[in-house]
Amino acid sequence: MHFDLADLRLFIHIGESPSLTQGARRAFLSPAAASARIKALESQFETRLLYRDSRGVELTPAGQRLLKHARLVMRQVEYLKSEFTNYGTDSAGHIRIFANTTAVTEFLPEVLAGFLAQRPGVTVDLQERLSRDIVRGVLDGSSDMGIIAGPVEAAGLQVMHFSTDRLVLAVPVGHDLASQSPVTLKQTLTFQHIGLHEGSTLLSFLRDHVERIGQHLSLRIQVSSFEAICRMVEAGVGIGIIPESAAVRHSRTMNLVTVQLDEPWAIRERSILVRELDALPGTVRALIATLMPDAEPPSATAADA
């Protein structure tokens, strides 16, 4: 087979776009030229890679497999470039991170601020994703690293535990549950909750557990941050389940009561996921070391899932 990196890059653009035209535009090609290149790829692989119709394009099963491998190849090319930029130091490069809600909104901004301030040549793409999408993204090469909370099934990945948090219930002063610590999830469902926005990992996590006990989560309002949840709780709008780290921080400036949850899943182990730690660029390894300052060098602590 004879195909170049430009063909793989084009295929990734088309696979991540709703149409061949948009994918071609991202690759700075005309639709006709892009179509010819894709047909050449299909000819070399002797299989159809795309379904084409008036609504756009859809990957065939073979196309899905090629997209996975193409991402890995292009990611490895980026690693190679990074490794030979400034002789593999951690002073330049690009890092893509898939992380859960708590990581994106609570502790990563502060960590990344200090990390990037010391490395002007480093850029970061931080995306909030659901747990299953974080695992899938690291596996297929869409992300350099993932940050996840709670139990994780990640065969083929290296999992490094780096901190522990727990989920707690935030209620206003004088609330019926304020003096009943600890409480079960079922007890909280009698009251209206303040929740995060649709698509947040924490909201999806809570809904799953509510469904498992055959109950319904009544959301009075959905907001975009833990700070907003705490402000709504303080005002008496409802109650909210949030990480204890966020509850402690916001209770310093707000009048809240924190109630422990009597649930085994309330304790949340935070973990970093990577495909192969030793193969990562120095920039990514340096960020992992920043997140795990009290650990041994990351390559020595990584364990196969």
Side-chain angles (χ1 to χ4, degrees), residues 144-161:
D144 297 305
M145 58 182 285
I147 296 179
I148 201 167
V152 55
E153 295 182 7
L157 296 182
Q158 291 179 287
V159 181
M160 296 165 282
H161 170 260

Side-chain angles (χ1 to χ4, degrees), residues 18-67:
S19 69
L20 187 144
T21 300
Q22 290 191 28
R25 186 181 300 122
R26 290 179 61 191
F28 302 101
L29 291 173
S30 68
S35 180
R37 281 177 174 264
I38 295 301
K39 287 179 181 178
L41 274 179
E42 291 178 323
S43 176
Q44 291 184 57
F45 285 106
E46 298 181 345
T47 187
R48 180 186 290 271
L49 299 173
L50 299 174
Y51 295 122
R52 303 169 176 85
D53 58 34
S54 58
R55 295 172 296 179
V57 294
E58 181 181 351
L59 295 179
T60 65
Q64 292 284 0
R65 290 196 298 273
L66 178 58
L67 179 62

Side-chain angles (χ1 to χ4, degrees), residues 194 196 223-233 250 254:
I194 312 298
L196 286 175
V223 293
S224 60
S225 68
F226 295 126
E227 179 182 5
I229 289 179
C230 290
R231 292 197 181 281
M232 291 289 177
V233 170
H250 294 303
M254 301 182 203

Side-chain angles (χ1 to χ4, degrees), residues 112-191:
L112 289 174
F115 181 81
L116 294 174
Q118 297 174 9
R119 298 167 176 82
V122 175
T123 58
V124 172
D125 177 8
L126 174 61
Q127 299 184 25
E128 181 182 340
R129 296 292 183 93
L130 297 175
S131 296
R132 61 179 179 272
D133 296 327
I134 295 172
V135 173
R136 187 183 304 119
V138 179
L139 275 171
D140 67 19
S142 301
S143 176
D144 297 305
M145 58 182 285
I147 296 179
I148 201 167
V152 55
E153 295 182 7
L157 296 182
Q158 291 179 287
V159 181
M160 296 165 282
H161 170 260
F162 70 98
S163 70
T164 302
D165 200 357
R166 69 168 62 233
L167 294 175
V168 298
L169 180 69
V171 301
V173 174
H175 192 274
D176 291 348
L177 296 179
S179 60
Q180 296 187 36
S181 184
V183 298
T184 64
L185 174 64
K186 186 174 182 179
Q187 286 177 277
T188 74
L189 300 178
T190 306
F191 306 91

Side-chain angles (χ1 to χ4, degrees), residues 239-287:
I239 61 176
I241 294 176
I242 61 175
E244 187 173 42
S245 55
V248 169
R249 182 157 60 87
H250 294 303
S251 64
R252 295 176 187 143
T253 56
M254 301 182 203
N255 206 9
L256 305 172
V257 176
T258 299
V259 180
Q260 298 297 314
L261 286 170
D262 185 16
E263 299 289 352
W265 45 258
I267 297 177
R268 307 278 281 164
E269 303 291 340
R270 293 177 182 151
S271 301
I272 297 170
L273 309 181
V274 297
R275 279 178 61 88
E276 187 179 351
L277 188 67
D278 292 337
L280 292 172
T283 307
V284 183
R285 294 198 303 270
L287 176 57

Side-chain angles (χ1 to χ4, degrees), residues 158-161 277-278 288 292 294-304:
Q158 291 179 287
V159 181
M160 296 165 282
H161 170 260
L277 188 67
D278 292 337
I288 293 173
M292 305 174 65
D294 299 324
E296 294 295 321
S299 57
T301 60
D304 288 332

Side-chain angles (χ1 to χ4, degrees), residues 128 130 195-201 203-204 207 219 222-224:
E128 181 182 340
L130 297 175
L196 286 175
H197 56 87
E198 292 296 331
S200 65
T201 53
L203 181 61
S204 298
R207 278 179 168 159
L219 290 173
Q222 292 174 255
V223 293
S224 60

